[in-house]
Amino acid sequence: MANNLKFESQKLAINYFFVAAVLFGAQLLMGLIAATQFLYPSFLFEIFDFSVARMVHINALVVWMLYAMIGSVYYLLPEETGIETVGIKLGKLAFYILTAAVTVVVLVYILVQVGPASESTIWLINEGREYIEAPRWADIGIVVVVLVFVFNLFATALKGEQTGIVTVLMADVLALAGLYLAGMFFTDNISMDQYWWWWVIHLWVEATWEVFVGCLLSYGLIKIIGARREVVEMWLWIEVSMLFGSGILGLGHHYFWIGTPEYWWEIGALFSALEPVPLVAMFVHVVYDWGKETGLKEGQNEEKMMTNSPAFAWFVTNAFGNFLGAGVWGFFHTLPQVNIYTHGTQFTSAHGHLAFFGAYATILIGMFYMGLQGKNGITKLRATFDSKMAISLITIGVLGMTVSLTIAGYGQVLVERAQMGATWEAYFVSQDFVWFVQGMGWRLATGVLTFIGFIFLIKDLLTTSKNPIHER
């Protein structure tokens, strides 16, 4: 198959996108197994534990997104800086090391599943830290691979042109990578261990990842609809300036669980709700300009600019999915007066599903399409039946899961927290509550819908190179 990419860095990005897509499928498959076991506990009993399915589901989510993020940077870096990525051979070596390590880790998760909970378990099976459960040897390997990635980004940016997008990326990736180190501390005190873990996860998803998405959205809008660079970079800098408010102060909505003063509750609730504002504002501003200019062009019988319809559709989903998942669902669930009842119930899961999908998965799938367009030398990538089915089914599926989990969470709050006072007995009684059971049933059904959408997505990605509908 011909490869039209002229930079080795962009060819490497396609490899990252390929592995990311495989891990995305693994995440969905494990989610379906875990959702089935919620309703039918005997499913795969003593063959594949619920804890393992859930662990692989969550860790595959983080890892496929990190793969797609690294791939996105390798893809946009040569175009933004005007030069080939410095240290690209080292980058390729790091890719194969990382992929081999991830394969071994997943096989160990599936084949070994449990250990003696001793030092050897931490080193060889997993560390027991939700979202970043890689065994210690893989932890160290990940740090090495990320150091190579960070070096390549900085060396290339310092040698080539430094646009606003690249400058923000440099600061953001440094913080993103540095935070991982905080999650590697290990102490015998589980409270201290969880303290460090907690900061890694929350500063990732509520600060550095949000800024990262802003960089990708800026790059994508410039490439797809010819958005003015000064407009998207203005909003990008606004997002950076708001990082200390929305991303860091926003974490205050969790603080009442650790005994900090009550004023943190309102500060955290307010600022966490502001996190998606700059991205949505950037998107609305750019699309308004594009619509106005398109109208003028049509009046002059000129063609409007739209080079990649599927990617643009995913970027639109990102703007509003981010607002709904991180903003609306996050706001009403994380208000301290509400969170005291909803924390740790399926409300948390509902917020997590929509926020991760809306804020991150959508834009990374859009980047898959941008990579595919470049690889196949397509000037105009059009929406196909498969691409429309993919975005429709995946979006409806995730929204359905979110609503189902919210209803299940409401059942939990009603029985487990309000009526029976958060005891162990209350927990088990709430698991049989009819709203909870029905909610989990609909979660499984909409999960299947999401997986069917994923199949359409893969089919579309694999057939793009031969589809005559696209302009070359």
Side-chain angles (χ1 to χ4, degrees), residues 304-339:
K304 65 181 179 182
M305 180 170 179
M306 173 63 73
T307 61
N308 193 326
S309 298
F312 186 70
W314 282 104
F315 283 12
V316 173
T317 311
N318 172 262
F320 295 101
N322 196 348
F323 178 72
L324 270 179
V328 176
W329 243 264
F331 183 70
F332 83 71
H333 161 61
T334 55
L335 276 173
Q337 294 82 356
V338 175
N339 194 251

Side-chain angles (χ1 to χ4, degrees), residues 104-279:
V104 172
V105 169
V106 171
L107 288 176
V108 169
Y109 282 167
I110 293 173
L111 298 176
V112 181
Q113 302 195 19
V114 294
S118 64
E119 195 78 11
S120 64
T121 305
I122 294 169
W123 274 93
L124 301 175
I125 303 178
N126 75 63
E127 292 184 331
R129 292 167 173 149
E130 199 173 19
Y131 293 95
I132 47 174
E133 284 162 304
R136 177 114 311 204
W137 70 267
D139 241 358
I140 296 169
I142 289 169
V143 171
V144 174
V145 169
V146 171
L147 283 176
V148 170
F149 168 64
V150 173
F151 167 78
N152 283 355
L153 170 62
F154 272 72
T156 310
L158 293 174
K159 187 177 179 183
E161 185 181 351
Q162 292 174 27
T163 63
I165 293 173
V166 171
T167 305
V168 173
L169 261 180
M170 290 166 69
D172 188 61
V173 166
L174 196 63
L176 197 157
L179 282 171
Y180 189 76
L181 298 176
M184 292 183 67
F185 286 113
F186 178 76
T187 72
D188 291 331
N189 185 320
I190 194 169
S191 297
M192 289 179 64
D193 190 74
Q194 288 289 292
Y195 175 85
W196 289 110
W197 164 85
W198 188 89
W199 279 106
V200 175
I201 299 303
H202 286 83
L203 282 176
W204 261 4
V205 299
E206 302 201 38
T208 56
W209 284 24
E210 284 280 356
V211 174
F212 192 94
V213 165
C215 295
L216 298 188
L217 185 63
S218 303
Y219 169 78
L221 290 175
I222 291 172
K223 292 293 176 185
I224 295 173
I225 61 174
R228 285 182 292 160
R229 183 175 288 274
E230 60 268 27
V231 171
V232 296
E233 291 190 345
M234 174 193 75
W235 282 110
L236 196 55
W237 284 113
I238 289 174
E239 181 167 14
V240 172
S241 66
M242 286 182 66
L243 168 68
F244 293 99
S246 60
I248 297 176
L249 291 179
L251 291 181
H253 67 255
H254 297 280
Y255 289 178
F256 76 103
W257 289 100
I258 57 175
T260 48
E262 290 185 6
Y263 55 77
W264 274 110
W265 303 5
E266 278 71 29
I267 292 174
L270 172 65
F271 283 98
S272 66
L274 294 175
E275 285 173 23
V277 170
L279 284 179

Side-chain angles (χ1 to χ4, degrees), residues 278-324:
L279 284 179
V280 175
M282 177 200 294
F283 187 82
V284 171
H285 189 159
V286 166
V287 171
Y288 173 78
D289 285 353
W290 176 70
K292 193 169 63 174
E293 290 168 9
T294 296
L296 292 174
K297 285 182 179 178
E298 287 179 346
Q300 298 165 356
N301 294 322
E302 294 180 19
E303 196 174 359
K304 65 181 179 182
M305 180 170 179
M306 173 63 73
T307 61
N308 193 326
S309 298
F312 186 70
W314 282 104
F315 283 12
V316 173
T317 311
N318 172 262
F320 295 101
N322 196 348
F323 178 72
L324 270 179

